[in-house]
Amino acid sequence: MRKQIILTVFIGIACAQAYAQIAPATMSANAYRPPVTIFGPNSPHMRFIEKADIQQQFMRRDWTPGNVLFRNGMSANNVLLLFDVHSNKLYFRQGDQAMEFLNPVQEFLIGLIVEKDTAGVVYRVLYPAVNTNTDETFYEVLVDGKVQLLRCRAKNVNLYKDQSQPEPKRHTEKEQLYVYVDGKMIKIKKDKDDILEALPKLADRINKITSEQRLKLKTDEGLLRLFRELNR
């Protein structure tokens, strides 16, 4: 079972510079430096933020501070980052240059601009390959713990079509939701019946939680609350 990873604070931006290569010069832009408020996975403040989008942030070249954990256990903290969701690439800023890490990244926390504040969003790799996703695909960690709720919006998601559906009913997805539990990746939809079928071992708890808290799993908030409760 994957353990929750805590980003350490003893290595700063010098570590990032030591494991980097230069990205295209067109990436440089003015950095946005608001105070960072961490609304990470499992925080009571964590929510789906409809008006804030990491990909739009990348397109605007809005750099935000974040922390990076490398696969060798080293970390870089308070680094200005940009993440291209569609191409699955992370960049950091050194002077006016956009750099890519040479040392493989395991997970990172990046600031997500929300009006005049910044929320922290966690992305992680090394999950089992599923559909068109590989173990190098970054997933946004919506809820962490033994039963993780993950979201993926990489470019290959836009190319994936559910082959179990008849051709006329197949559609291209803009994002995918997964549950990582017992070492397996399980694709789910925002639908109670679908989640019960996908997670039969947790069916009794799901029914109890949704009944007692009157959760509607077709809503983003209802889904987050359910998975927070499953990890208590």
Side-chain angles (χ1 to χ4, degrees):
M1 174 59 63
R2 181 186 298 266
K3 295 181 179 179
Q4 182 175 358
I5 301 170
I6 300 175
L7 293 176
T8 55
V9 296
F10 63 93
I11 300 177
I13 191 170
C15 174
Q17 296 173 345
Y19 294 97
Q21 63 183 3
I22 297 176
T26 55
M27 294 287 296
S28 61
N30 293 327
Y32 181 84
R33 290 178 175 271
V36 177
T37 303
I38 303 303
F39 296 160
N42 299 2
S43 163
H45 303 291
M46 178 63 186
R47 62 192 186 278
F48 284 81
I49 306 171
E50 295 181 358
K51 294 183 180 180
D53 187 293
I54 285 290
Q55 188 63 20
Q56 289 299 317
Q57 198 164 286
F58 169 79
M59 298 299 292
R60 295 193 305 267
R61 305 300 188 256
D62 288 333
W63 298 85
T64 55
N67 301 335
V68 181
L69 181 66
F70 300 102
R71 297 179 198 177
N72 63 5
M74 299 183 71
S75 63
N77 301 289
N78 198 29
V79 185
L80 291 173
L81 300 174
L82 275 178
F83 181 52
D84 185 350
V85 174
H86 292 168
S87 69
N88 202 52
K89 288 187 178 181
L90 176 66
Y91 301 92
F92 79 94
R93 182 171 175 174
Q94 181 179 345
D96 289 330
Q97 294 279 5
M99 313 286 284
E100 291 184 64
F101 295 105
L102 291 179
N103 202 24
V105 173
Q106 181 164 324
E107 78 170 42
F108 64 91
L109 182 148
I110 185 172
L112 174 61
I113 298 172
V114 185
E115 296 178 350
K116 296 182 180 181
D117 201 357
T118 303
V121 181
V122 173
Y123 285 86
R124 189 178 294 157
V125 293
L126 299 182
Y127 289 101
V130 58
N131 296 334
T132 53
N133 298 343
T134 72
D135 61 356
E136 295 295 327
T137 300
F138 277 104
Y139 291 85
E140 181 182 350
V141 183
L142 298 172
V143 179
D144 209 348
K146 292 183 178 180
V147 186
Q148 298 180 25
L149 178 62
L150 310 172
R151 175 164 59 182
C152 180
R153 292 186 296 165
K155 186 176 181 180
N156 57 346
V157 167
N158 298 327
L159 302 176
Y160 173 76
K161 294 184 179 181
D162 188 350
Q163 299 299 318
S164 67
Q165 295 292 324
E167 181 65 34
K169 294 185 178 181
R170 292 179 189 175
H171 65 282
T172 301
E173 300 175 330
K174 294 183 178 180
E175 69 174 30
Q176 294 174 346
L177 292 172
Y178 289 92
V179 176
Y180 178 72
V181 61
D182 295 333
K184 298 178 181 179
M185 293 288 280
I186 303 171
K187 189 171 181 290
I188 65 168
K189 300 176 182 178
K190 286 189 284 187
D191 176 82
K192 182 178 178 180
D193 290 338
D194 181 83
I195 294 172
L196 288 171
E197 183 178 353
L199 304 171
K201 294 181 180 179
L202 298 172
D204 289 343
R205 291 188 63 198
I206 292 171
N207 279 320
K208 185 174 185 293
I209 293 168
T210 53
S211 176
E212 290 180 350
Q213 300 194 19
R214 298 181 179 179
L215 299 182
K216 296 180 180 180
L217 301 188
K218 292 186 180 296
T219 67
D220 297 334
E221 182 58 31
L223 196 63
L224 285 172
R225 287 177 60 186
L226 169 64
F227 280 88
R228 290 195 201 110
E229 291 297 322
L230 288 174
N231 282 287
R232 287 185 183 275

